[in-house]
Amino acid sequence: MTTRIRSGQGFVAGSMIGTLGGLIGLGGAEFRLPVLVGLFRLGTLEAVILNKAMSLVVVAAALIFRIKAIPLGQLAPHMDVALNLLAGSLVGAWWAAGHAITMPRLWLDRIIMVMLASLSLVMLSEAWFGLHDGAAPLFQSGAVRLVVGLVAGFGIGVVAALLGVAGGELLIPTIVLLYGVDIKLAGSLSLVVSLPTMIVGFARYTRSDSFAVLRAERPLLRSMAAGSILGAAVGGLLLGLVPTHLMMTLLGMILLVSSVKTFQHTH
């Protein structure tokens, strides 16, 4: 397969995934990972690192786009929420990325398969049960909420590092349910948490030999990232044309099947 064809496929795949993700308010990184492994035949760790690089670009762009709709002034009163989750997620991302580098590939595949399947179940649950409107936090005690936030942040950091995702599919429900924040504000706060969390995981991966994939697959990285940003913008414009719960149900089922098929037989 020539570089030009591979780049073209990357742009198309990135655009489609970005559009579908934009329709439901996600970056689509959880869908990119099976494509990188299944379609482009990358090794698991190499795919995670490439996915992480693309997620950084997409999240940074999404944060810039959302600032116009939700100014930083509206986020400032809720920065304690972001800091609480960040305190846990940064540690989780650093720890998980370090273990992924030395972990046997068979175990990494199995863990990723379980994580992606679990994310698909989260999407399916969200599709049919939804989130409340952020009227009241799950815990009234500030101390309890702080501890739960640290634990939740650590878990989200682990998932973000091992899958190369931003973690919005976990961060947004956590922010809404745990802290009682409005879902639109939660979407922006999740990006504030995601960006430094991904940077920490990305920095940890620089110690791996597999980090060379960024140089080897630079054309694919550029084309797929560009397609993902374009797709996310298109998906955001089309938001509301397709019932969200139906889209999330479909994508949740696709993610479940693709994660099992891709990572069950990679060795």
Side-chain angles (χ1 to χ4, degrees), residues 150-226:
L150 289 172
V151 174
F154 181 86
I156 291 168
V158 169
V159 173
L162 289 180
L163 300 183
V165 302
E169 56 282 337
L170 297 177
L171 275 168
I172 293 174
T174 298
I175 293 172
V176 171
L177 296 173
L178 183 57
Y179 302 96
V181 175
D182 175 77
I183 192 167
K184 291 183 179 179
L185 284 174
S188 293
L189 285 171
S190 74
L191 294 175
V192 172
V193 176
S194 294
L195 197 55
T197 300
M198 288 193 297
I199 290 173
V200 164
F202 196 66
R204 185 71 154 153
Y205 280 128
T206 59
R207 300 185 179 185
S208 170
D209 293 339
S210 298
F211 199 75
V213 70
L214 295 182
R215 189 181 304 108
E217 296 289 352
R218 189 175 298 170
L220 177 60
L221 170 62
R222 289 174 176 171
S223 62
M224 204 167 186

Side-chain angles (χ1 to χ4, degrees), residues 33-247:
L33 189 56
V35 170
L36 289 170
V37 175
L39 177 62
F40 294 104
R41 302 298 179 189
L42 295 180
T44 304
L45 186 57
E46 287 79 3
V48 169
I49 292 172
L50 201 66
N51 199 28
K52 175 73 74 177
M54 283 186 272
S55 294
L56 275 169
V57 175
V58 173
V59 167
L63 189 57
I64 293 172
F65 293 151
R66 286 185 73 97
I67 285 175
K68 295 181 180 180
I70 302 178
L72 292 177
Q74 292 185 31
L75 299 180
H78 303 282
M79 288 309 293
D80 59 322
V81 172
L83 292 174
N84 186 188
L85 290 169
L86 263 175
S89 67
L90 295 178
V91 176
W94 182 264
W95 178 84
H99 280 71
I101 292 171
T102 58
M103 189 182 299
R105 292 297 172 263
L106 180 59
W107 275 102
L108 183 60
D109 287 339
R110 289 172 176 171
I111 291 172
I112 287 178
M113 181 178 69
V114 171
M115 284 187 169
L116 287 175
S118 299
L119 284 180
S120 74
L121 296 179
V122 169
M123 290 180 63
L124 291 172
S125 298
E126 168 58 19
W128 294 104
F129 299 107
L131 296 171
H132 64 59
D133 58 5
L138 192 60
F139 299 102
Q140 294 302 321
S141 170
V144 174
R145 198 159 59 239
L146 177 65
V147 173
V148 174
L150 289 172
V151 174
F154 181 86
I156 291 168
V158 169
V159 173
L162 289 180
L163 300 183
V165 302
E169 56 282 337
L170 297 177
L171 275 168
I172 293 174
T174 298
I175 293 172
V176 171
L177 296 173
L178 183 57
Y179 302 96
V181 175
D182 175 77
I183 192 167
K184 291 183 179 179
L185 284 174
S188 293
L189 285 171
S190 74
L191 294 175
V192 172
V193 176
S194 294
L195 197 55
T197 300
M198 288 193 297
I199 290 173
V200 164
F202 196 66
R204 185 71 154 153
Y205 280 128
T206 59
R207 300 185 179 185
S208 170
D209 293 339
S210 298
F211 199 75
V213 70
L214 295 182
R215 189 181 304 108
E217 296 289 352
R218 189 175 298 170
L220 177 60
L221 170 62
R222 289 174 176 171
S223 62
M224 204 167 186
S228 296
I229 294 174
L230 175 63
V234 172
L237 292 174
L238 297 177
L239 192 64
L241 295 182
V242 181
T244 302
H245 74 281
L246 291 179
M247 179 62 67

